Amino acid sequence: GKARPLWARSGWLPLPALSKRAYDLGFLDSTDSVERTPMIERYGEKNVKSLYTAALELALGKPARFDTPGVMKIGHQQIALDQAAMAKVRLPAADKLEAYSFLDLIHGKVDAAALADRVVILGYDGAKMEENVTPMGKVKGHRLFVHQLGALYAELHDGAGQEVPVAGARSVGPI
């Protein structure tokens, strides 16, 4: 049948100063389960890529295709999608994500090699950030996003032991 993705009338768009140098723009909304991720969302009257899809395209250097119902393809790899254009993800047993302070990043205190050839996710990780209950325990939203993205990347590589090219930079307070 026809996909029925998450739908929204409005959303937050990045500041022009940030978006003009960004690789792409993707949307991200909450789902009914931390183990389901939207690959397409409906924004107004258009289907648009989710942030997961945009990040996977960047990591893999190829565009995503949705020309077969129930499937997202990137290159020769594919991920099954449900009727809501969501992929099921398998989260790790523990949250062992290495993250860096945003202030350390902008002040040159993070070794460039730690971020080389990686998709870098910038996100707030402070005390006011909501936590999500997951199989690995309570995890804040941006960390959960990175784990979900890593699971999708691993799925595209059939769990072939590929290192997931994702690094996190976090802010621990107002900037």
Side-chain angles (χ1 to χ4, degrees):
K2 189 173 179 179
R4 296 182 304 276
L6 285 174
W7 183 81
R9 292 180 200 261
S10 64
W12 293 93
L13 297 175
L15 297 170
L18 295 177
S19 63
K20 74 178 178 184
R21 297 201 57 181
Y23 169 80
D24 202 351
L25 175 66
F27 290 83
L28 183 63
D29 286 296
S30 297
T31 65
D32 60 350
S33 168
V34 296
E35 296 178 301
R36 291 178 71 220
T37 58
M39 305 313 292
I40 296 175
E41 297 192 34
R42 188 135 179 102
Y43 184 75
E45 298 302 316
K46 295 175 60 177
N47 285 342
V48 295
K49 292 185 278 189
S50 73
L51 187 56
Y52 298 99
T53 300
L56 288 169
E57 287 177 334
L58 175 60
L60 297 169
K62 298 176 184 168
R65 296 186 334 272
F66 299 91
D67 46 3
T68 304
V71 175
M72 179 186 80
K73 295 180 183 175
I74 298 182
H76 297 293
Q77 277 74 19
Q78 65 183 32
I79 293 178
L81 305 178
D82 64 18
Q83 285 291 318
M86 291 193 209
K88 184 160 179 52
V89 295
R90 192 172 332 137
L91 295 171
D95 177 15
K96 296 181 180 177
L97 180 66
E98 185 171 358
Y100 303 93
S101 161
F102 184 72
L103 293 175
D104 287 349
L105 180 69
I106 63 174
H107 288 110
K109 295 179 182 177
V110 176
D111 183 6
L115 305 178
D117 299 321
R118 299 200 178 265
V119 175
V120 177
I121 306 300
L122 301 176
Y124 177 72
D125 198 30
K128 294 183 180 183
M129 183 73 180
E130 182 179 326
E131 292 183 316
N132 300 277
V133 176
T134 74
M136 60 188 141
K138 290 183 178 179
V139 178
K140 294 182 180 175
H142 294 105
R143 294 179 75 82
L144 176 59
F145 171 79
V146 173
H147 285 297
Q148 291 167 325
L149 182 60
L152 291 165
Y153 183 86
E155 175 73 20
L156 285 168
H157 283 83
D158 299 322
Q162 294 281 337
E163 182 179 351
V164 180
V166 177
R170 62 181 169 81
S171 166
V172 293
I175 296 176

